[in-house]
Amino acid sequence: MSGANGVPVKTNSNSSGIFGWVERVGNKIPNPFLLFVYLIIILMLATAVLSWLHISAVDPSTGEAVTVKNLLSKEGIQWILPNVIKNFSGFTPLGSILALVLGAGLAEKVGLLQALMLKMASRVSARYASYMVLFIAFFSHVSSDAALVIMPPLGALMFLAVGRHPVAGLLAAIAGVGSGFTANLLIVTTDVLLSGISTEAAAAVNPAIHVSVLDNWFFMAASVIVLTITGGLITDKFVEPRLPVYQSKGQEDRLEELTPLQNKGLLASGIATLISLVVIALLVLPSNAILRDPELGTIVPSPFMSGIVPTIILLFFVAAVTYGIATRQIRSQNDVPQLLIDPMKGMAGFIVMVFPLSQFVAFFNWSNMGKFIALGLTDLLEKTNTAGIPAFLGLMFLSALLCMFIASGSAIWSILAPVFVPMFMLLGFHPAFAQMIFRVADSSVIPFAPMSPFLPLFLSFLQRYQKDAKLGTYYSLVLPYPIIFLLVWSLLLVVWYWLGLPIGPGVYPKL
């Protein structure tokens, strides 16, 4: 995903050429909250015009004409007013994300995530440093946008600790947390947010289809392995050999060592988490387990699969509370709710953006605009015989292009999903597959995106080791990662599709 919502973006007055143009254009794009307000106004006017012209599209599955419903008509206004609050409170990903942030936020506040990353970093050798930095960067996505702040300097320190160039470690970490932002071994807030938006968009074609947080898991977990190897090779064979010899001044920060108390906390947390996993396994794996489907006796589907987010939250709480008690970050039961306050404060910008976002998605669905556009595009693709790979490439191109100008990945998917999810469904693809294509394209180009709110931060990290570095320096150094990641990841996606492999538990590219 491309950045946090509502984070101010600093610009570089020296930027020029294509990067300067993109940056200037991007600076004119309003805050995501206002962007969706303007999109709602445009949508209302568009529905009024299309309704007045009596333009329709034919649904090939039913043979019925699909017309656009006018949001500015009497019927539209009578629907809007009673549903504004329902659209917001009923927005599928809102509750799940806020709950997941409670668990992940507590783990971060007590220091569990940071200690776990340092523990992994302490095991690195010079030969495999690139791969370890990238793997830890992928793991760090559990802390969402915080990973973009924590990992780059940690990557630089890891390389320093084994006698390698710190800038190479910095760039490898940026690639892992940026270009691989949506590739995860664990289920994180990105999965919850995007799957919720996809579910809302899929309702335009089939309200019964639900996109689970696990529906991209197989592909994204495999992507971690592929991109770790790819990023490591880029760093070792191309990026680091181009860097000048680094002359240490002896004043740099060094990689912290874990204290005995932190090690004790990690051990206690690991044992508590293992016990929790055993209990969950006993509730799921036996043939008569209570978390299996009560009628079919299956795991997919089952109450366990549909309740995977609460299960993950519970594991976060068990691990975080155990670590907090062992390291004395939690001294009384009253400390827990206090530690949960800051993570929720950090979600204020997201909650504000969700209000108009949820209205936009609901208005799009009620007006039939999403299905109308999807039918038109589907018909065009079929007539020109360009369904399949060309449709994938079209979605990828738009996703990557919008990432250049809009700093919020969820905002981009909220714009694209109401059109592309129904279109892909009409072409016979699962909505989770369309979501997966978006994730590949949007994530790959994050370090390269001029409008990323983290770009000035990445530049400041680089200037710690290269004082005269400017925006052009950063782009020239980081450029191989977005380009090669996008190519390799796209190739993996195409091969996955051709082989017909499941992209998640019980979910395939085709419906």
Side-chain angles (χ1 to χ4, degrees):
M1 290 282 158
S2 30
N5 304 305
V7 179
V9 179
K10 298 178 183 178
T11 61
N12 189 309
S13 58
N14 295 324
S15 58
S16 58
I18 184 64
F19 299 119
W21 176 81
V22 171
E23 190 172 3
R24 288 191 295 274
V25 172
N27 282 335
K28 297 181 184 299
I29 295 176
N31 178 280
F33 176 89
L34 294 174
L35 176 63
F36 281 104
V37 170
Y38 299 150
L39 287 173
I40 288 171
I41 294 172
I42 294 171
L43 176 63
M44 286 180 162
L45 294 174
T47 61
V49 172
L50 291 172
S51 177
W52 179 70
L53 293 175
H54 300 290
I55 297 176
S56 63
V58 177
D59 187 342
S61 62
T62 62
E64 297 178 356
V66 176
T67 58
V68 175
K69 297 162 72 174
N70 185 0
L71 285 164
L72 295 178
S73 66
K74 178 181 177 181
E75 180 190 11
I77 293 172
Q78 288 178 345
W79 175 84
I80 290 173
L81 289 178
N83 285 284
V84 168
I85 303 303
K86 292 179 184 177
N87 296 339
F88 178 53
S89 61
F91 188 59
T92 303
L94 180 60
S96 297
I97 285 181
L98 293 180
L100 191 58
V101 166
L102 284 175
L106 180 62
E108 185 178 349
K109 289 299 292 181
V110 298
L112 172 59
L113 297 182
Q114 297 90 323
L116 194 54
M117 284 189 279
L118 283 172
K119 185 72 172 180
M120 295 170 70
S122 66
R123 305 289 181 177
V124 69
S125 66
R127 182 176 181 181
Y128 299 108
S130 300
Y131 304 96
M132 182 59 76
V133 166
L134 281 147
F135 183 79
I136 296 174
F138 285 118
F139 169 79
S140 72
H141 295 159
V142 71
S143 61
S144 191
D145 284 350
L148 293 156
V149 179
I150 297 170
M151 268 309 301
L154 179 60
L157 293 179
M158 287 174 63
F159 267 52
L160 266 177
V162 295
R164 292 183 59 178
H165 204 300
V167 171
L170 174 73
L171 295 170
I174 289 174
V177 295
S179 291
F181 187 75
T182 61
N184 311 298
L185 290 173
L186 305 175
I187 302 302
V188 298
T189 53
T190 301
D191 299 283
V192 179
L193 178 56
L194 295 184
S195 63
I197 295 172
S198 299
T199 298
E200 297 273 352
V205 175
N206 186 350
I209 288 186
H210 173 76
V211 180
S212 162
V213 296
L214 292 171
D215 283 359
N216 289 161
W217 185 36
F218 289 173
F219 179 79
M220 288 301 163
S223 298
V224 170
I225 299 171
V226 172
L227 295 181
T228 296
I229 296 172
T230 301
L233 290 173
I234 294 171
T235 304
D236 292 349
K237 305 298 183 183
F238 188 76
V239 172
E240 192 168 15
R242 295 171 57 216
L243 295 172
V245 176
Y246 181 70
Q247 299 293 334
S248 175
K249 300 177 178 62
Q251 299 175 342
E252 298 91 345
D253 294 330
R254 294 293 173 182
L255 196 63
E256 295 180 19
E257 293 185 4
L258 292 175
T259 65
L261 196 61
Q262 288 175 312
N263 279 311
K264 177 184 174 183
L266 285 176
L267 178 62
S269 179
I271 293 172
T273 303
L274 182 60
I275 293 172
S276 300
L277 289 172
V278 171
V279 172
I280 292 171
L282 292 174
L283 295 174
V284 175
L285 296 181
S287 58
N288 60 345
I290 64 173
L291 290 182
R292 283 178 174 259
D293 186 276
E295 296 181 359
L296 303 174
T298 57
I299 297 177
V300 182
S302 68
F304 169 70
M305 296 302 290
S306 58
I308 192 69
V309 172
T311 303
I312 294 170
I313 295 168
L314 176 63
L315 289 172
F316 267 124
F317 268 93
V318 169
V321 170
T322 304
Y323 180 85
I325 293 173
T327 57
R328 299 172 192 156
Q329 298 292 319
I330 298 176
R331 296 178 181 272
S332 72
Q333 59 184 6
N334 293 328
D335 289 340
V336 175
Q338 287 299 316
L339 289 168
L340 293 173
I341 292 175
D342 279 347
M344 296 311 294
K345 284 181 180 178
M347 294 303 292
F350 168 75
I351 296 170
V352 168
M353 187 194 73
V354 162
F355 185 78
L357 186 158
S358 61
Q359 307 306 323
F360 176 76
V361 173
F363 289 7
F364 220 90
N365 287 338
W366 182 87
S367 66
N368 286 332
M369 180 65 87
K371 190 172 184 179
F372 172 79
I373 296 175
L375 285 169
L377 289 174
T378 303
D379 183 58
L380 177 63
L381 289 172
E382 290 178 341
K383 285 181 178 178
T384 56
N385 196 30
T386 54
I389 301 298
F392 306 166
L393 295 176
L395 176 54
M396 294 183 75
F397 173 76
L398 280 175
S399 303
L401 179 65
L402 287 176
C403 184
M404 294 292 104
F405 300 99
I406 301 176
S408 168
S410 58
I412 297 171
W413 187 230
S414 296
I415 294 170
L416 296 177
V419 173
F420 279 93
V421 166
M423 185 188 82
F424 270 66
M425 291 175 69
L426 291 168
L427 290 171
F429 296 104
H430 197 286
F433 185 61
Q435 172 184 287
M436 193 172 82
I437 294 172
F438 163 76
R439 292 175 70 164
V440 169
D442 174 74
S443 179
S444 296
V445 298
I446 286 177
F448 199 56
M451 292 314 299
S452 169
F454 295 100
L455 181 58
L457 185 65
F458 293 159
L459 179 58
S460 69
F461 290 149
L462 177 60
Q463 289 170 340
R464 292 182 184 179
Y465 304 101
Q466 195 168 332
K467 299 297 184 183
D468 59 346
K470 296 182 180 179
L471 194 59
T473 311
Y474 167 79
Y475 276 130
S476 67
L477 291 173
V478 83
L479 180 61
Y481 294 103
I483 293 176
I484 299 175
F485 268 43
L486 181 58
L487 292 174
V488 170
W489 213 351
S490 300
L491 180 61
L492 177 65
L493 186 148
V494 171
V495 171
W496 205 279
Y497 166 70
W498 275 340
L499 293 176
L501 299 175
I503 58 177
V507 179
Y508 291 81
K510 291 274 192 175
L511 281 171

